[in-house]
Amino acid sequence: MSSTSTTYKSSITHSQKFQRRFGVAIRLVIAALLIIFAIFPVLWIISASFDNSNSLATQSLIPANAGIANYQRLFNKDPNFSYGDIQYWRWLWNSIKISGISTILSISITTMAAFAFSRLRFKGRIGLLKAIMLIQAFPNLLALVAIFALIANLGDIFTPLGLNTHAGLILVYLGGSMGMNTWLMKGYLDTIPRAIDESGMLDGATHWQIFTQLLLPLLRPILVVTGLLSFIGTYGDFLMARVLLNDASKYTLMVGLQIFTAGQFDKKWGVFAAGALIGALPIMIIYFILQDQIVGGLTIGAVKG
């Protein structure tokens, strides 16, 4: 009887070990597949940027005629290459400038709006929150014609905010990013205890002092996350910038790179890939610098009571 019991326990132990090992193996296989799925497109773009053939039909992961000719063409260093008005550095700077200004203004406005919705009580508060959510439910594509007409008419009144201006494009981006960012910021503010506000009021602090000196330092993780999402959204936008900008010197990076893929029989995929790789560097640098704050901003709301 004892021998049978020992054998039974041993078989159960081996079975549990096998199940654990099998589960770990399955997770490792899935993780490897996901990593390959995520990295392969990046490797393909890197390969295309060094492939001087500029053709997707003959593209391979290890190009046969690898070189840096596409990067030379991108920066107008190839005397045998002429392909429209290429101003890559200006396009990159325009994207960084527009995205940076839009992000700073968006965070400033949405943070104050979220504070008002979270901490203050006023007539129409719930209705405004629902209206913001309802407006954000409609994609910007539906309002494209209306936005174009609005900016065109605004330019007739005040030229710096009209068509083909960065200020006008920033104004449009502000209107598009404030809705969801306000809800996101308000949800984070709701998790901060009101006892902090009450202690400030007992010391004679105003609402502005409570906001700037007590609450704002606690909002740093969510400010980083919201700012990053806003920056990436405007940095990678193509449609709105393409509609509102028509001067090559004012193009954003996404609009400028479209030049290399616009031709029907003369697409320069290699130059496009080189420009896309360099254009991704600002986002990567921001991620590396702020990665700790990003993780904190995405997870703190799940554990904060």
Side-chain angles (χ1 to χ4, degrees), residues 105-122 125-126 128-129 132 177-192 194 197 207-208 210-212 215-216 219 222-223 226:
L105 293 177
S106 175
I107 289 178
S108 302
I109 297 173
T110 54
T111 304
M112 290 186 286
F115 173 78
F117 283 122
S118 177
R119 289 306 201 254
L120 305 181
R121 295 296 180 265
F122 52 90
R125 169 177 165 273
I126 302 300
L128 283 174
L129 283 171
I132 291 174
S177 65
M178 287 173 55
M180 292 308 299
N181 288 346
T182 300
W183 269 94
L184 183 64
M185 198 77 66
K186 176 190 175 298
Y188 191 92
L189 270 169
D190 288 342
T191 65
I192 299 177
R194 292 183 177 273
D197 305 49
H207 287 299
W208 177 253
I210 292 173
F211 170 67
T212 56
L215 297 181
L216 199 58
L219 294 175
I222 195 64
L223 288 175
T226 305

Side-chain angles (χ1 to χ4, degrees), residues 95-96 98-104 106-107 173 177 181 223-238 252-254 279-288 290 294 298:
S95 289
I96 295 175
I98 292 172
S99 300
I101 295 175
S102 299
T103 299
I104 293 173
S106 175
I107 289 178
Y173 285 152
S177 65
N181 288 346
L223 288 175
V224 171
V225 172
T226 305
L228 181 62
L229 294 177
S230 179
F231 185 89
I232 293 176
T234 54
Y235 187 84
D237 177 69
F238 167 77
T252 60
L253 181 61
M254 300 304 142
L281 290 179
I283 303 297
M284 294 176 59
I285 292 172
I286 292 175
Y287 265 116
F288 280 122
L290 302 176
I294 294 171
L298 290 175

Side-chain angles (χ1 to χ4, degrees), residues 8-301:
Y8 179 71
K9 290 181 180 179
S10 177
S11 63
I12 292 177
T13 302
H14 286 299
S15 177
Q16 290 175 344
K17 289 182 179 179
F18 174 77
Q19 290 178 359
R20 285 196 298 268
R21 291 175 181 175
F22 182 76
V24 171
I26 291 296
R27 288 194 291 269
L28 290 176
V29 170
I30 295 175
L33 291 175
L34 292 176
I35 291 173
I36 294 173
F37 181 79
I39 293 179
F40 182 78
V42 179
L43 295 178
W44 194 264
I45 291 294
I46 294 175
S47 174
S49 70
F50 289 102
D51 188 353
N52 297 332
S53 65
N54 272 310
S55 174
L56 290 180
T58 59
Q59 176 66 32
S60 61
L61 192 59
I62 302 177
N65 54 345
I68 61 172
N70 289 323
Y71 292 91
Q72 293 175 337
R73 295 164 181 169
L74 185 66
F75 301 121
N76 294 315
K77 301 298 183 181
D78 187 352
N80 299 320
F81 180 81
S82 178
Y83 197 83
D85 189 8
I86 303 176
Q87 305 180 45
Y88 184 81
W89 288 122
R90 183 181 292 274
W91 298 338
L92 182 60
W93 167 245
N94 288 343
S95 289
I96 295 175
K97 179 184 70 174
I98 292 172
S99 300
I101 295 175
S102 299
T103 299
I104 293 173
L105 293 177
S106 175
I107 289 178
S108 302
I109 297 173
T110 54
T111 304
M112 290 186 286
F115 173 78
F117 283 122
S118 177
R119 289 306 201 254
L120 305 181
R121 295 296 180 265
F122 52 90
K123 187 177 181 180
R125 169 177 165 273
I126 302 300
L128 283 174
L129 283 171
K130 292 180 179 179
I132 291 174
M133 179 63 72
L134 180 62
I135 293 173
Q136 291 295 310
F138 296 94
N140 292 334
L141 184 62
L142 296 178
L144 191 61
V145 176
I147 291 174
F148 179 85
L150 180 64
I151 297 299
N153 293 330
L154 184 60
D156 294 336
I157 301 173
F158 188 62
T159 305
L161 291 177
L163 295 174
N164 200 36
T165 63
H166 290 165
L169 184 60
I170 290 172
L171 185 65
V172 173
Y173 285 152
L174 282 178
S177 65
M178 287 173 55
M180 292 308 299
N181 288 346
T182 300
W183 269 94
L184 183 64
M185 198 77 66
K186 176 190 175 298
Y188 191 92
L189 270 169
D190 288 342
T191 65
I192 299 177
R194 292 183 177 273
I196 297 177
D197 305 49
E198 295 170 356
S199 63
M201 291 179 180
L202 290 176
D203 292 334
T206 63
H207 287 299
W208 177 253
Q209 290 173 328
I210 292 173
F211 170 67
T212 56
Q213 298 179 22
L214 298 180
L215 297 181
L216 199 58
L218 301 176
L219 294 175
R220 185 173 62 177
I222 195 64
L223 288 175
V224 171
V225 172
T226 305
L228 181 62
L229 294 177
S230 179
F231 185 89
I232 293 176
T234 54
Y235 187 84
D237 177 69
F238 167 77
L239 186 60
M240 198 63 66
R242 185 67 184 90
V243 170
L244 299 181
L245 302 176
N246 52 41
D247 187 353
S249 64
K250 295 185 178 181
Y251 281 170
T252 60
L253 181 61
M254 300 304 142
V255 179
L257 289 179
Q258 187 259 348
I259 293 176
F260 301 114
T261 62
Q264 185 175 1
F265 302 105
D266 193 24
K267 300 179 186 295
K268 303 298 181 183
W269 292 109
V271 185
F272 174 85
L277 278 177
I278 298 176
L281 290 179
I283 303 297
M284 294 176 59
I285 292 172
I286 292 175
Y287 265 116
F288 280 122
I289 294 176
L290 302 176
Q291 57 182 332
D292 293 337
Q293 297 295 329
I294 294 171
V295 173
L298 290 175
T299 58
I300 195 170

